Amino acid sequence: GWIEKLGALDFAGGTVVHETTATSALVLAVLLGPRSARPAEPEPHNVPFVILGGGMLWFGWLGFNGGSAYGANNTAALAVLNTCLAGAASMIVWASLERLRNKRTSAVGTMTGAIVGLVIATPGCGHVTPLGAVAMGALGCLLAYPNFLLHHPRVDDTLDVFCCHGISGFIGTMLTGIFARPSEFAKPSDDVVQARFKLLGAQLAGGLAAPAYAAVATAALYFLISRFMRMRVPEEDEHGGVDAALHGEVAYRTPKPRAAGSGRPAQELELGSPNGALGDSPNPMAECRASPQKNGTSASTAAPPRHWGTDDVPSTAAAAVREEP
C-alpha cells in the first residue's frame, strides 16, 4: 500500500493490527456507551487466569512475530528474541513504576506491562537489534503507563484495549523508526541521519493514517448495522448477566444452603448459634447429630438431598452432615 511506498516499517503488524483494532474498539465503546451496571471499581475476574492467559498469549506472540519472517531463518530468530526482550523489559519497568506509585506490585499489572512490551515490539521486532528491543520495551512502557491512569466516564474500556494496543502500538511504530538498523531503511551511500528522519515521517504518517481509517470505517459499519439489528443487549440482561440470558447458565453460582432432607436453608439447622454457622459452636458436628429437624427426623439419619442440580448446590453444613458416620 501507499504506507509501505513511503518507506514505513511494520514487521508484524503493530500499525495495521494493534492500532486499527484498538481504535475500532474505542469507537464502538464510545458509540455504545458505558454499561448500565458498570462497577465503580472494576476488579479482575480471576487473577490466576490473567497470568495463565498472559503466558499463553506471550507464547502465541512468538509465532505471530516470528512467523512474519515467512521462514525458519535468522530474521525469524531475531524477531522471537526481540519480542521476548521487549516484553521482559516492559514488564520490569511496569512493575517498578507500580511499586513507586502504589508501594506494591500486582500480578495483573505486571502481566499488563508484559503485554504492552509485546505490542511495542511487534512493528520493529525484525528491524532492530536485541539491545534496541530492550530499549523499546523499557522506554515504550514509560510512555504508555501514564495513559492507563486516564479514564473517561463515556468510555467503558474495561480491559484497557485502547491503551494497551492502540497507544502502545503507536509508540512501537515510532520507536521502530528510532531504533531500526540502518540497513533496514538506508542504502550504504545514503545519509543515515537524513534517511532516519524520512523514516520517522513515514512511521508517523502510517501510525496516524491507519487508526484514522479504522475509526471512520468502524463508525460507518456501526451505523449501517444498527439500522437492521439491535446493538446492545437489554438493560435487564446487563444487570442479570448475559450468560444467564443467552445460555441459561453462569460461570460461577453462589451456593444456596439447604438443610439435609428437608430442602430448607441450612440456617434452620440448630447448630448451636443463632445464625446456624458451623464455626460458631464449640462442637458443631456433635450438636448437628443431636439436633432434631422440625419434621422429627434427626440430621444424621435424614436422606441426603439432591445436590448436582443448579438449584440444589449443597452447603458446607449439609455436606458435612452427609459425611458423618
Side-chain angles (χ1 to χ4, degrees):
W2 65 270
I3 296 178
E4 183 181 8
K5 292 179 180 178
L6 287 177
L9 299 177
D10 187 2
F11 186 80
T15 302
V16 299
V17 175
H18 292 285
E19 283 194 66
T20 54
T21 53
T23 303
S24 295
L26 176 64
V27 170
L28 289 174
V30 173
L31 292 176
L32 287 170
R35 292 165 292 170
S36 58
R38 180 182 182 181
E41 295 291 337
E43 296 181 354
H45 161 69
N46 188 310
V47 174
F49 278 8
V50 172
I51 300 173
L52 176 63
M56 294 173 66
L57 190 59
W58 192 323
F59 177 75
W61 221 294
L62 303 182
F64 182 81
N65 285 3
S68 296
Y70 302 112
N73 48 39
N74 291 337
T75 303
L78 177 66
V80 169
L81 174 62
N82 287 342
T83 300
C84 291
L85 290 175
S90 178
M91 179 173 63
I92 293 172
V93 170
W94 186 289
S96 302
L97 292 173
E98 209 172 36
R99 179 166 288 276
L100 287 174
R101 181 173 180 268
N102 302 324
K103 307 302 181 182
R104 62 180 181 272
T105 299
S106 68
V108 174
T110 302
M111 187 53 64
T112 302
I115 302 304
V116 166
L118 297 176
V119 173
I120 292 171
T122 298
C125 58
H127 301 305
V128 303
T129 64
L131 187 58
V134 173
M136 285 181 65
L139 180 58
C141 183
L142 284 171
L143 297 174
Y145 182 84
N147 296 279
F148 286 81
L149 306 179
L150 304 176
H151 299 282
H152 193 280
R154 176 69 183 177
V155 181
D156 190 359
D157 187 0
T158 305
L159 301 180
D160 291 319
V161 172
F162 184 71
C163 291
C164 191
H165 295 270
I167 293 177
S168 299
F170 178 77
I171 291 172
T173 296
M174 297 308 300
L175 291 180
T176 298
I178 296 175
F179 292 102
R181 295 170 294 169
S183 60
E184 298 293 325
F185 60 87
K187 298 177 181 179
S189 58
D190 291 342
D191 184 335
V192 175
V193 176
Q194 183 178 357
R196 191 174 293 280
F197 274 108
K198 181 180 178 181
L199 172 62
L200 284 172
Q203 297 295 106
L204 179 62
L208 294 177
Y213 170 80
V216 173
T218 301
L221 289 172
Y222 173 88
F223 287 116
L224 177 63
I225 297 173
S226 65
R227 296 296 180 267
F228 302 98
M229 62 180 291
R230 186 188 184 107
M231 301 300 288
R232 288 187 63 141
V233 299
E235 185 174 348
E236 58 270 19
D237 292 347
E238 288 189 35
H239 289 271
V242 179
D243 284 345
L246 296 181
H247 307 294
E249 59 187 0
V250 294
Y252 303 100
R253 183 182 296 276
T254 303
K256 298 178 180 179
R258 292 284 187 268
S262 66
R264 292 192 301 273
Q267 284 81 353
E268 293 186 13
L269 288 171
E270 299 176 7
L271 299 180
S273 66
N275 59 7
L278 286 172
D280 294 338
S281 172
N283 191 359
M285 294 316 305
E287 293 182 17
C288 184
R289 289 194 299 269
S291 300
Q293 295 287 341
K294 292 183 179 180
N295 59 6
T297 305
S298 66
S300 60
T301 59
R306 294 186 297 112
H307 57 278
W308 289 120
T310 56
D311 293 327
D312 289 304
V313 180
S315 66
T316 304
V321 170
R322 289 198 304 274
E323 293 173 1
E324 272 296 307

